[in-house]
Amino acid sequence: MCGRTACTLGPDEICQACSVRTMKDGKKQYQAPEWRDHPGGKSYTTSYNIAPSRFTPVIISDHHVRGVKRQSDDEVLSPQRIIQPMMWGLIPPFYKGSSPTGHGLTTNNCRVEDIEEKKSYKPSLIKGQRCVVLCDGFYEWQAIKGEKTKQPYFVYAPQPEGIEIWNRESWDKPGVWSEDEGWRGPQLLKIAGLFSFWISTEDWLDFGRIGYKEALTNLTNEVELTWHPVSTAVNNSRNQEPNINVPVSLDKKPPETASSKLMSAWLSKGSAKKDNSALKDMKREPGKTEAPEHYEEKEKKPSPFSKWIKKESDDNANDN
C-alpha cells in the first residue's frame, strides 16, 4: 500500500458492504457490523483522494472496546466486528508529544518483513492490536521514461459484473443491500493493519485465540488486484474532484480540471524562467563544452510497481 487512498462510501454503506451471513432466529441472514463513532470526536469524511493523517474506517474486534466477553468462566465468546474511523498513521507507543502527528515518523505503511523488529509496530502486534483498513482502493505511481510527471494508477479489488467502484451510478440503486441477499454493491479493498489502540476480521481479529506469529503466517496475497490509469490530478491531495479515479486513456492527454489548468500555467511560467536562466548561463560561459555524444544518463532501476505493470502487459500480449 502506498500513500494515497480513496474511500467514497458513507458509514451505513461501509457497514453493509462488510456484512456477513449469520444465523438469526433459526434463519440465515446477513448482518452488518456496528458503526462506532471515534471516541475523540473525530469524524470520517468521504473522499476520492485521501492522504495520511486523515480519519478513515477500519474494522476492529469489540473486545477492544467492551473488554473480553465470556459466556462462562472457561468460554470466551467470539469477537464481534465493529467499524470506526481511525487516523491513518500509527502513533508509536514511545512517542510522548502533544500532537498525534508530531513524532515526525512515516508510519502509514508497514512491511511484514521487519514488523517484529520495528519498535513502532511490535508493541501493537504483541498486544493483539490488529485491524483491517477499508477503502475503495489506493493510488500507485509509475515513472515514465522521458516524462517528469509520473502516471498514477488506481488499484482496487475485482468488482462484480457491471459495477464500477469509481462510478456510483453503476450500483447506487434500490435493493443494493438487504438482510436476505446481503451487499450487492462495490467490493471494498480490505488491508491488514495495526493500531496503537484497536483491531480487524476473522483470524486476524481474534487475538485471544490466534497468536501474532500464527497471524503473520496468514498474511498472503491471495486476491488478484485490478488497476487502471487515472488522471494526474490525483498527484495533488488538494484535488477532490469526484471523477479523479475514473479510467483515462494513455493514448491521449487526459481532460484538464480547474486545478490542473492552474498548475499547468504555473509550471509553464516556471519553465520559461528556467530556460532564460540557462541561456544567460551559456552566455556567461562561452567556453563551456557540451557533454560528449556518447554520454548517456544512468537509467534508474524500475520500481516493483513498474515491473508488475510490465509483467501484466506482457502476459496479456502473450494471451492475445
Side-chain angles (χ1 to χ4, degrees):
M1 182 178 175
C2 77
R4 209 74 63 76
T5 66
C7 199
T8 62
L9 273 63
D12 289 343
E13 294 170 331
I14 290 174
C15 291
Q16 292 167 356
C18 297
S19 59
V20 293
R21 199 173 185 182
T22 59
M23 292 294 296
K24 184 178 180 180
D25 299 328
K27 182 181 178 181
K28 292 182 179 180
Q29 288 185 328
Y30 285 89
Q31 182 178 2
E34 171 191 344
W35 177 275
R36 180 176 185 265
D37 291 333
H38 188 275
K42 303 294 184 180
S43 60
Y44 155 67
T45 304
T46 61
S47 174
Y48 290 87
N49 199 356
I50 301 173
S53 79
R54 293 278 299 275
F55 282 76
T56 59
V58 301
I59 306 176
I60 61 171
S61 163
D62 66 344
H63 287 182
H64 284 276
V65 179
R66 304 178 178 123
V68 178
K69 297 184 292 184
R70 297 178 180 275
Q71 188 169 356
S72 64
D73 291 339
D74 299 325
E75 185 178 1
V76 177
L77 294 178
S78 299
Q80 299 299 309
R81 298 185 296 172
I82 290 178
I83 300 178
Q84 85 155 58
M86 289 189 187
M87 187 185 74
W88 182 14
L90 187 77
I91 302 174
F94 55 80
Y95 172 64
K96 305 299 180 183
S98 57
S99 169
T101 57
H103 50 79
L105 300 174
T106 302
T107 56
N108 54 293
N109 288 324
C110 176
R111 295 183 179 276
V112 69
E113 292 83 1
D114 55 10
I115 193 172
E116 294 185 74
E117 284 72 44
K118 293 281 187 179
K119 62 179 181 179
S120 299
Y121 306 118
K122 188 174 181 179
S124 294
L125 184 65
I126 293 176
K127 293 177 183 177
Q129 293 172 333
R130 305 192 290 262
C131 70
V132 170
V133 181
L134 301 171
C135 62
D136 296 5
F138 63 90
Y139 297 97
E140 187 62 75
W141 283 259
Q142 180 189 26
I144 303 175
K145 188 175 182 179
E147 297 289 338
K148 293 183 178 180
T149 302
K150 294 182 178 181
Q151 174 60 50
Y153 285 80
F154 186 52
V155 186
Y156 49 97
Q159 299 297 308
E161 184 177 358
I163 290 182
E164 299 172 333
I165 195 168
W166 60 92
N167 180 11
R168 192 176 185 92
E169 293 182 358
S170 69
W171 61 267
D172 192 4
K173 303 170 185 176
V176 70
W177 183 84
S178 67
E179 288 187 347
D180 293 332
E181 298 185 12
W183 177 251
R184 302 174 66 183
Q187 297 301 304
L188 295 176
L189 185 62
K190 301 176 178 68
I191 306 168
L194 295 173
F195 63 91
S196 53
F197 186 62
W198 288 75
I199 318 193
S200 190
T201 58
E202 296 161 358
D203 286 346
W204 183 251
L205 285 177
D206 196 352
F207 65 94
R209 180 174 60 89
I210 305 295
Y212 80 86
K213 287 186 177 294
E214 183 178 353
L216 289 179
T217 62
N218 293 331
L219 294 182
T220 57
N221 297 323
E222 296 180 351
V223 178
E224 283 192 20
L225 297 176
T226 309
W227 63 85
H228 59 246
V230 295
S231 168
T232 55
V234 74
N235 296 355
N236 190 325
S237 63
R238 290 192 294 272
N239 293 334
Q240 297 293 324
E241 288 87 348
N243 63 344
I244 205 167
N245 56 3
V246 171
V248 299
S249 172
L250 297 183
D251 296 331
K252 60 182 180 179
K253 188 175 181 180
E256 288 188 312
T257 63
S259 301
S260 62
K261 288 180 180 179
L262 181 62
M263 180 62 72
S264 297
W266 182 74
L267 288 174
S268 298
K269 184 178 179 182
S271 298
K273 289 183 178 179
K274 183 177 180 181
D275 292 343
N276 291 336
S277 175
L279 289 173
K280 290 178 182 179
D281 291 341
M282 291 176 67
K283 291 178 180 179
R284 284 196 295 267
E285 298 180 20
K288 187 175 180 180
T289 58
E290 296 183 356
E293 292 183 1
H294 65 271
Y295 171 79
E296 292 183 1
E297 183 180 355
K298 187 175 182 181
E299 210 173 295
K300 294 182 179 179
K301 292 183 178 179
S303 67
F305 185 71
S306 298
K307 293 180 180 178
W308 185 29
I309 290 290
K310 185 177 186 304
K311 181 179 182 300
E312 290 293 329
S313 299
D314 293 342
D315 290 343
N316 291 334
N318 292 332
D319 291 340
N320 293 331

